């Protein structure tokens, strides 16, 4: 990588200062992000970011890629003619900055797999058989623990963007509702008042930093239980009551 300007290192000795200043100006004012990891404050203003930007070198007219790091303790602009090198340096810089004081994640949004991200909020709604949507609660936490499971979906590369995270969390909410629906159908079949509400779609609104996404998953209606299944459920309830 060619250092154009940096808080932490001198620029390349062979680089013309005027050319470097022109490139930095382009990257500050006309850049188009190819990749980006960032965090925002409560008003949505970016407070830290690492980006990959493609640009045309004003000195040679050739295509180049820049990695720009802008964080609380400084800035760095570096570029290369190799796109793969820029992506590798970008991911290295994101990982180097992934932890902040107290061990809390430093980033809210990232496309780098395995990087722990800051807190999220998921608002759930459920749709009943009459088509009415009702509030289903709000969930929050860090991306690693949002499913309440032993697996780490971020480190496993399952969730690397907010879109991935919304899909994974909605799948978990839908699976939970499917289990509730099956119990409701069994309770109704044996003449017991259902202990929960059935729903046939779940909708989630997920917020992280300044980004908000909404998604929905339909849920298939469970089959009516057979007499044997209903009898087995009655035996299960009796055994559970005796075990208390």
């Amino acid at each position: 990588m060619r250092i154009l300007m940096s808080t932490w290192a001198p620029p390349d000795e062979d680089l013309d200062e005027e050319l470097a200043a022109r490139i930095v100006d382009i990257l500050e004012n006309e850049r188009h992000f190819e990749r980006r990891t960032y965090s925002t404050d409560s008003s949505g203003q970016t407070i830290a970011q690492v980006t990959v930007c493609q640009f045309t070198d004003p000195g040679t007219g050739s295509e180049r890629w820049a990695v720009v790091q802008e964080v609380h303790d400084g800035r760095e602009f570096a570029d290369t003619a190799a796109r793969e090198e820029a992506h590798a340096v970008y991911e290295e810089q994101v990982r180097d900055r992934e932890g902040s004081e107290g061990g809390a994640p430093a980033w809210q949004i990232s496309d780098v797999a395995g990087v722990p991200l800051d807190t999220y909020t998921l608002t759930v709604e459920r749709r009943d058989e009459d088509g009415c949507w009702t509030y289903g609660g709000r969930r929050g936490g860090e991306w690693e623990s949002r499913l309440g499971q032993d697996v780490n979906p971020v480190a496993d590369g399952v969730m690397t963007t907010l879109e991935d995270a919304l899909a994974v969390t909605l799948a978990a909410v839908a699976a939970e509702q499917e289990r509730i629906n099956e119990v409701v159908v069994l309770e109704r079949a044996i003449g017991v008042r259902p202990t929960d509400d059935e729903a046939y779609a779940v909708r989630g609104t997920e917020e992280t930093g300044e980004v908000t996404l909404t998604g929905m998953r339909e849920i298939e209606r469970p089959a009516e239980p057979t007499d044997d299944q209903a009898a087995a459920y009655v035996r299960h309830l009796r055994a559970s009551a005796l075990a208390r």
Side-chain angles (χ1 to χ4, degrees):
M1 298 289 291
R2 180 176 67 172
I3 303 296
L4 304 168
M5 188 275 283
S6 175
T7 302
W8 311 288
D12 277 26
E13 294 180 358
D14 299 332
L15 181 62
D16 179 75
E17 290 185 12
E18 182 179 345
L19 175 61
R22 290 173 64 190
I23 294 175
V24 169
D25 182 67
I26 291 172
L27 295 174
E28 287 183 320
N29 299 295
E30 303 174 26
R31 58 181 155 181
H32 301 284
F33 301 129
E34 186 168 299
R35 298 185 68 179
R36 186 184 184 210
T37 291
Y38 65 99
S39 290
T40 64
D41 60 20
S42 58
S43 62
Q45 297 297 309
T46 300
I47 56 175
Q49 66 178 352
V50 181
T51 62
V52 176
C53 309
Q54 181 183 353
F55 71 98
T56 301
D57 189 321
T60 64
S62 61
E63 186 177 61
R64 295 182 69 85
W65 285 264
V67 177
V68 180
Q69 183 175 180
E70 298 166 292
V71 292
H72 71 281
D73 59 343
R75 302 196 303 164
E76 182 173 273
F77 294 75
D79 73 343
T80 176
R83 182 172 183 265
E84 296 79 8
E85 181 184 12
H87 281 234
V89 170
Y90 161 78
E91 293 193 6
E92 180 182 353
Q93 290 187 0
V94 168
R95 295 183 194 282
D96 285 345
R97 292 271 179 180
E98 69 181 25
S100 60
E101 291 184 9
W107 304 117
Q108 292 173 333
I109 304 293
S110 181
D111 55 9
V112 179
V115 172
L117 301 179
D118 203 351
T119 56
Y120 74 97
T121 300
L122 176 69
T123 302
V124 178
E125 297 172 282
R126 304 175 192 274
R127 191 188 69 204
D128 62 22
E129 57 186 347
D130 296 324
C132 297
W133 288 95
T134 56
Y135 174 70
R138 288 171 71 86
R139 305 180 181 202
E142 296 177 5
W143 283 37
E144 295 93 330
S145 60
R146 67 173 64 212
L147 297 181
Q149 300 173 351
D150 293 333
V151 298
N152 184 329
V154 174
D156 293 342
V158 177
M159 299 191 301
T160 58
T161 66
L162 193 62
E163 289 86 350
D164 294 340
L166 180 61
V168 170
T169 50
L170 270 184
V173 172
E176 176 185 329
Q177 186 62 53
E178 285 178 356
R179 290 190 292 272
I180 291 173
N181 290 351
E182 291 171 357
V183 172
V184 168
V185 170
L186 281 167
E187 290 173 330
R188 190 179 293 123
I190 64 173
V192 174
R193 183 176 179 178
T195 55
D196 213 327
D197 296 322
E198 57 190 323
Y200 295 99
V202 292
R203 182 168 61 192
T205 302
E206 191 156 63
E207 302 167 85
T208 301
E210 63 183 359
V211 180
T212 299
L213 292 178
T214 299
M216 186 180 76
R217 289 182 70 101
E218 298 282 348
I219 300 173
E220 290 187 13
R221 182 181 295 274
E224 289 297 321
T226 64
D227 291 343
D228 288 343
Q229 288 172 328
Y233 186 62
V234 170
R235 291 194 296 272
H236 165 72
L237 293 179
R238 288 174 178 168
S240 298
L242 290 174
R244 292 174 185 168

